[in-house]
Amino acid sequence: AQKITQTQPGMFVQEKEAVTLDCTYDTSDQSYGLFWYKQPSSGEMIFLIYQGSYDEQNATEGRYSLNFQKARKSANLVISASQLGDSAMYFCAMREIMNRDDKIIFGKGTRLHILP
Amino acid sequence: NAGVTQTPKFQVLKTGQSMTLQCAQDMNHEYMSWYRQDPGMGLRLIHYSVGAGITDQGEVPNGYNVSRSTTEDFPLRLLSAAPSQTSVYFCASSSDSYEQYFGPGTRLTVT
């Protein structure tokens, strides 16, 4: 079973609109972390935002916010006021720490296209 | 501060050849990992290490070996390259619980 599911392979959004990228996860751990990364066409991985499982407030970083719904096991990324430079692949990831084991697993990604 | 460095940037191998992809970090991070990225598959975890002397298998470990003799270095060895190993390989490191820092990637082609 997939640990991280991103159901939107691709999205097209008009510039200046807000966009929500979906991510659901599967874990039996109580302690875990959720991440979002951006990968532009140049290929580098850019960290965007982090949410710990015990954090009570949703994480925010500038135009990025993470809509964390623990009971539904979802960690959607919200980008406000989208810009042309937001066009990229976006990956959701989860870090589980169990005993000595410590894995970070990624979803398959969503390709976001911002239209002028 | 170099962060995470990977060498080489590009490599072409023939089927059956072996090689080592190098990864080094200068941030004193305990956690290091290797991923491969294929179109439509996202990043898949190959091997990871929670500290020097400790390594574990990820989602797709077959055909790859790793070792972690120092905190700084985490090389990935392809024992006998196959065309199915054509991919972009990323090395990453992180501290206890926060973001991973990624290297620039190695684009490997096996013919």
Side-chain angles (χ1 to χ4, degrees):
Chain A
Q2 281 191 37
K3 288 271 192 176
I4 297 284
T5 302
Q6 295 180 252
T7 56
Q8 307 149 309
M11 286 186 71
F12 290 83
V13 172
Q14 209 66 40
E15 190 181 9
K16 298 194 178 79
E17 288 184 352
V19 56
T20 297
L21 304 181
D22 295 340
C23 173
T24 57
Y25 60 92
D26 180 25
T27 182
S28 55
D29 279 359
Q30 296 302 309
S31 177
Y32 52 90
L34 297 156
F35 306 79
W36 278 91
Y37 283 83
K38 173 184 178 181
Q39 187 179 43
S41 56
S42 52
E44 75 265 35
M45 296 292 289
I46 302 169
F47 167 76
L48 295 178
I49 198 166
Y50 168 82
Q51 178 88 40
S53 58
Y54 292 117
D55 294 342
E56 294 189 352
Q57 304 228 344
N58 286 342
T60 60
E61 291 284 348
R63 292 187 299 115
Y64 304 107
S65 60
L66 199 153
N67 185 359
F68 181 45
Q69 297 188 39
K70 198 169 180 176
R72 300 174 74 173
K73 293 189 176 176
S74 80
N76 298 340
L77 177 71
V78 180
I79 307 174
S80 63
S82 57
Q83 303 170 356
L84 295 178
D86 294 332
S87 293
M89 279 291 284
Y90 288 81
F91 293 100
C92 179
M94 176 174 65
R95 184 169 193 165
E96 297 177 291
I97 304 175
M98 262 192 299
N99 301 319
R100 203 201 67 175
D101 202 14
D102 183 352
K103 284 183 188 175
I104 303 177
I105 303 292
F106 282 74
K108 293 187 178 183
T110 296
R111 185 169 294 282
L112 177 63
H113 304 268
I114 305 299
L115 305 172
Chain B
N1 212 353
V4 180
T5 58
Q6 289 184 240
T7 56
K9 284 192 168 39
F10 301 94
Q11 183 71 48
V12 179
L13 290 178
K14 289 187 176 2
T15 297
Q17 286 184 318
S18 63
M19 79 159 295
T20 299
L21 307 185
Q22 301 291 345
C23 174
Q25 52 92 8
D26 61 0
M27 297 173 282
N28 204 32
H29 286 165
E30 291 295 326
Y31 185 89
M32 295 187 75
S33 54
W34 276 102
Y35 295 88
R36 60 177 289 174
Q37 184 176 23
D38 304 297
M41 300 295 290
L43 278 80
R44 291 184 291 170
L45 183 64
I46 305 172
H47 285 285
Y48 62 102
S49 168
V50 299
I54 305 168
T55 62
D56 257 314
Q57 296 182 352
E59 302 168 278
V60 288
N62 292 341
Y64 308 95
N65 273 359
V66 291
S67 60
R68 184 96 181 270
S69 53
T70 67
T71 299
E72 294 77 22
D73 300 299
F74 191 42
L76 178 73
R77 293 185 197 84
L78 280 71
L79 307 171
S80 177
S84 60
Q85 293 179 303
T86 293
S87 189
V88 179
Y89 291 84
F90 286 98
C91 177
S93 75
S94 75
S95 57
D96 278 347
S97 61
Y98 208 59
E99 66 174 287
Q100 288 201 99
Y101 294 81
F102 280 82
T106 294
R107 188 174 293 274
L108 175 69
T109 302
V110 182
T111 60

Coordinates of all heavy atoms in Angstrom, one line a residue, chain A residues 17-23 34-37 47-52 57-69 74-82 86 90-92:
Chain A
E17 N -4.4 33.0 -8.9 CA -5.4 32.2 -8.2 C -4.7 31.4 -7.1 O -3.5 31.1 -7.2 CB -6.1 31.3 -9.1 CG -7.1 32.0 -10.0 CD -7.9 31.0 -10.8 OE1 -7.6 29.8 -10.8 OE2 -8.9 31.5 -11.5
A18 N -5.4 31.0 -6.1 CA -4.9 30.0 -5.1 C -5.0 28.6 -5.6 O -5.9 28.3 -6.4 CB -5.6 30.2 -3.8
V19 N -4.1 27.8 -5.2 CA -4.1 26.4 -5.6 C -3.9 25.5 -4.4 O -3.1 25.8 -3.5 CB -3.1 26.1 -6.7 CG1 -1.7 26.5 -6.3 CG2 -3.1 24.7 -7.2
T20 N -4.6 24.3 -4.4 CA -4.4 23.3 -3.4 C -3.9 22.0 -4.0 O -4.6 21.5 -5.0 CB -5.8 23.1 -2.7 OG1 -6.2 24.3 -2.0 CG2 -5.6 22.0 -1.6
L21 N -2.8 21.5 -3.5 CA -2.3 20.3 -4.0 C -2.5 19.2 -2.9 O -2.2 19.4 -1.8 CB -0.8 20.4 -4.3 CG -0.4 21.5 -5.2 CD1 1.2 21.5 -5.4 CD2 -1.1 21.3 -6.6
D22 N -3.2 18.1 -3.3 CA -3.6 17.1 -2.4 C -2.5 16.1 -2.0 O -1.7 15.7 -2.8 CB -4.8 16.3 -2.9 CG -6.0 17.2 -3.1 OD1 -6.1 18.3 -2.5 OD2 -6.9 16.8 -3.9
C23 N -2.6 15.7 -0.7 CA -1.6 14.7 -0.2 C -2.3 13.9 0.9 O -2.8 14.6 1.9 CB -0.3 15.3 0.2 SG 0.8 14.1 1.0
L34 N 5.7 15.7 8.0 CA 5.2 15.8 6.7 C 5.9 17.0 6.0 O 6.1 18.1 6.6 CB 3.7 16.0 6.6 CG 2.9 14.8 7.2 CD1 1.6 15.2 7.7 CD2 2.8 13.7 6.2
F35 N 6.3 16.8 4.7 CA 7.0 17.8 4.0 C 6.4 18.0 2.6 O 5.8 17.1 2.1 CB 8.5 17.3 3.7 CG 9.2 16.9 5.0 CD1 9.0 15.6 5.5 CD2 10.2 17.7 5.5 CE1 9.7 15.2 6.6 CE2 10.9 17.3 6.6 CZ 10.7 16.0 7.2
W36 N 6.7 19.2 2.1 CA 6.5 19.5 0.7 C 7.7 20.0 0.1 O 8.4 20.9 0.7 CB 5.3 20.5 0.5 CG 4.0 19.9 0.6 CD1 3.2 19.7 1.7 CD2 3.2 19.3 -0.5 NE1 2.0 19.1 1.3 CE2 2.0 18.9 0.0 CE3 3.5 19.2 -1.9 CZ2 1.0 18.3 -0.8 CZ3 2.5 18.6 -2.7 CH2 1.3 18.1 -2.1
Y37 N 8.0 19.5 -1.1 CA 9.2 19.9 -1.9 C 8.7 20.4 -3.3 O 7.8 19.8 -3.8 CB 10.2 18.8 -2.1 CG 11.1 18.6 -0.9 CD1 10.6 17.8 0.2 CD2 12.3 19.1 -0.7 CE1 11.4 17.5 1.3 CE2 13.1 18.9 0.4 CZ 12.6 18.1 1.4 OH 13.4 17.9 2.5
F47 N 13.0 22.6 -0.6 CA 12.2 22.4 0.5 C 11.2 23.6 0.7 O 11.6 24.8 0.6 CB 13.0 22.3 1.8 CG 12.2 22.4 3.1 CD1 11.5 21.4 3.5 CD2 12.3 23.6 3.8 CE1 10.8 21.5 4.7 CE2 11.5 23.7 5.0 CZ 10.8 22.6 5.4
L48 N 9.9 23.3 0.9 CA 8.9 24.4 1.0 C 8.4 24.5 2.4 O 8.4 25.7 3.0 CB 7.7 24.1 0.1 CG 8.0 24.1 -1.4 CD1 6.7 23.8 -2.2 CD2 8.5 25.5 -1.9
I49 N 8.0 23.4 3.0 CA 7.3 23.6 4.3 C 7.3 22.2 5.0 O 7.4 21.2 4.4 CB 5.8 24.0 4.0 CG1 5.1 24.6 5.3 CG2 5.0 23.0 3.4 CD1 3.9 25.4 4.9
Y50 N 7.2 22.3 6.4 CA 7.2 21.1 7.2 C 6.1 21.2 8.3 O 5.8 22.3 8.8 CB 8.6 21.0 7.9 CG 8.6 20.0 9.0 CD1 8.8 18.7 8.8 CD2 8.4 20.4 10.4 CE1 8.9 17.7 9.8 CE2 8.5 19.5 11.4 CZ 8.7 18.2 11.1 OH 8.7 17.2 12.1
Q51 N 5.5 20.1 8.5 CA 4.5 20.0 9.6 C 4.8 18.8 10.4 O 4.8 17.6 9.9 CB 3.1 19.8 9.0 CG 1.9 19.7 9.9 CD 1.4 21.0 10.4 OE1 1.2 21.9 9.6 NE2 1.0 21.1 11.7
G52 N 4.9 18.9 11.7 CA 5.1 17.8 12.6 C 3.7 17.3 13.1 O 2.8 18.1 13.2
Q57 N -0.9 23.9 15.2 CA -1.2 24.9 14.2 C -0.7 24.4 12.8 O 0.3 23.8 12.7 CB -0.6 26.2 14.5 CG -1.0 26.8 15.9 CD -1.4 28.2 15.8 OE1 -1.2 28.9 14.8 NE2 -2.1 28.7 16.8
N58 N -1.5 24.8 11.8 CA -1.0 24.5 10.4 C 0.2 25.3 10.1 O 0.3 26.5 10.5 CB -2.1 24.9 9.4 CG -3.2 23.9 9.4 OD1 -3.1 22.8 9.9 ND2 -4.3 24.2 8.8
A59 N 1.2 24.7 9.5 CA 2.5 25.4 9.1 C 2.2 26.4 8.0 O 1.4 26.1 7.1 CB 3.5 24.4 8.7
T60 N 2.9 27.5 8.1 CA 2.9 28.5 7.0 C 4.3 29.0 6.7 O 5.1 29.1 7.7 CB 2.0 29.7 7.3 OG1 2.5 30.3 8.5 CG2 0.5 29.3 7.6
E61 N 4.6 29.2 5.4 CA 5.9 29.8 5.0 C 5.6 30.7 3.9 O 5.5 30.3 2.7 CB 6.8 28.7 4.6 CG 7.4 27.8 5.7 CD 8.4 28.5 6.5 OE1 8.9 29.6 6.2 OE2 8.8 27.9 7.6
G62 N 5.4 32.0 4.1 CA 5.1 32.9 3.0 C 3.8 32.6 2.4 O 2.8 32.5 3.0
R63 N 3.9 32.4 1.1 CA 2.7 32.1 0.3 C 2.2 30.6 0.4 O 1.2 30.2 -0.1 CB 2.9 32.4 -1.2 CG 3.0 33.9 -1.5 CD 3.1 34.1 -3.0 NE 4.2 33.4 -3.6 CZ 4.1 32.5 -4.5 NH1 2.8 32.0 -4.9 NH2 5.1 31.9 -5.1
Y64 N 3.0 29.8 1.1 CA 2.7 28.4 1.3 C 2.1 28.1 2.6 O 2.6 28.6 3.7 CB 4.0 27.5 1.1 CG 4.8 27.7 -0.1 CD1 6.0 28.4 -0.2 CD2 4.3 27.2 -1.3 CE1 6.6 28.6 -1.3 CE2 4.9 27.4 -2.5 CZ 6.1 28.1 -2.5 OH 6.8 28.3 -3.7
S65 N 1.1 27.3 2.7 CA 0.6 26.8 3.9 C 0.2 25.4 3.8 O 0.0 24.9 2.7 CB -0.7 27.6 4.4 OG -1.7 27.6 3.4
L66 N 0.2 24.7 4.9 CA -0.1 23.2 4.9 C -1.4 23.0 5.6 O -1.4 23.4 6.8 CB 1.1 22.5 5.5 CG 1.2 21.0 5.2 CD1 2.6 20.5 5.3 CD2 0.3 20.2 6.1
N67 N -2.4 22.5 4.9 CA -3.7 22.3 5.6 C -3.6 20.8 6.1 O -3.8 19.9 5.4 CB -4.8 22.4 4.5 CG -6.1 22.2 5.1 OD1 -6.3 22.0 6.3 ND2 -7.2 22.3 4.3
F68 N -3.3 20.8 7.4 CA -3.1 19.5 8.1 C -4.3 19.0 8.8 O -4.8 19.7 9.7 CB -2.0 19.7 9.1 CG -1.6 18.4 9.9 CD1 -1.4 17.2 9.2 CD2 -1.4 18.5 11.2 CE1 -1.0 16.1 9.9 CE2 -1.0 17.3 11.9 CZ -0.8 16.1 11.3
Q69 N -4.9 17.9 8.3 CA -6.1 17.3 8.9 C -5.7 15.9 9.4 O -5.7 14.9 8.6 CB -7.2 17.3 7.9 CG -7.6 18.7 7.5 CD -8.9 18.7 6.7 OE1 -9.9 18.0 7.0 NE2 -8.9 19.6 5.7
S74 N -4.5 13.8 6.0 CA -4.2 14.6 4.8 C -3.4 15.8 5.1 O -3.4 16.3 6.3 CB -5.5 15.0 4.1 OG -6.1 16.2 4.7
A75 N -2.5 16.2 4.2 CA -1.6 17.3 4.4 C -1.5 18.1 3.1 O -0.5 18.0 2.4 CB -0.2 16.7 4.8
N76 N -2.5 18.8 2.8 CA -2.6 19.5 1.5 C -1.7 20.7 1.5 O -1.7 21.5 2.5 CB -4.0 19.8 1.1 CG -4.9 18.6 0.9 OD1 -4.3 17.5 0.7 ND2 -6.2 18.7 1.0
L77 N -1.1 21.0 0.4 CA -0.3 22.3 0.3 C -1.2 23.3 -0.4 O -1.8 23.0 -1.5 CB 0.9 22.0 -0.6 CG 1.8 23.3 -0.9 CD1 2.5 23.7 0.4 CD2 2.8 23.0 -2.0
V78 N -1.2 24.5 0.2 CA -2.0 25.6 -0.4 C -1.0 26.7 -0.8 O -0.2 27.1 0.0 CB -3.0 26.2 0.6 CG1 -3.8 27.3 -0.1 CG2 -4.0 25.1 1.0
I79 N -1.1 27.1 -2.1 CA -0.2 28.2 -2.6 C -1.2 29.3 -2.8 O -2.1 29.2 -3.7 CB 0.5 27.8 -3.8 CG1 1.3 26.5 -3.6 CG2 1.5 29.0 -4.2 CD1 2.0 26.0 -4.9
S80 N -1.0 30.4 -2.2 CA -1.8 31.6 -2.4 C -1.3 32.5 -3.5 O 0.0 32.5 -3.7 CB -2.0 32.4 -1.1 OG -0.7 32.9 -0.7
A81 N -2.1 33.1 -4.2 CA -1.7 34.1 -5.2 C -0.6 33.5 -6.1 O 0.5 34.0 -6.1 CB -1.2 35.4 -4.6
S82 N -1.0 32.5 -6.9 CA 0.1 31.8 -7.6 C 0.8 32.7 -8.6 O 0.2 33.6 -9.2 CB -0.6 30.6 -8.4 OG -1.6 31.0 -9.2
D86 N 5.8 29.4 -10.0 CA 5.3 28.3 -9.3 C 5.2 27.0 -10.1 O 4.9 25.9 -9.6 CB 4.0 28.6 -8.6 CG 4.1 29.7 -7.5 OD1 5.2 29.8 -6.9 OD2 3.1 30.4 -7.3
Y90 N 5.6 19.1 -7.6 CA 5.5 19.3 -6.2 C 5.4 17.9 -5.6 O 4.6 17.1 -6.0 CB 4.3 20.1 -5.8 CG 4.6 21.6 -6.1 CD1 4.3 22.0 -7.4 CD2 5.0 22.5 -5.2 CE1 4.6 23.4 -7.8 CE2 5.2 23.8 -5.5 CZ 5.0 24.3 -6.8 OH 5.2 25.6 -7.1
F91 N 6.2 17.6 -4.6 CA 6.2 16.3 -3.9 C 5.9 16.5 -2.5 O 6.4 17.3 -1.8 CB 7.6 15.7 -4.0 CG 8.0 15.3 -5.4 CD1 8.9 16.1 -6.2 CD2 7.5 14.1 -6.0 CE1 9.2 15.7 -7.5 CE2 7.9 13.7 -7.3 CZ 8.7 14.5 -8.0
C92 N 5.0 15.6 -2.0 CA 4.7 15.4 -0.6 C 5.5 14.3 -0.1 O 5.8 13.3 -0.8 CB 3.2 15.1 -0.5 SG 2.6 14.9 1.2

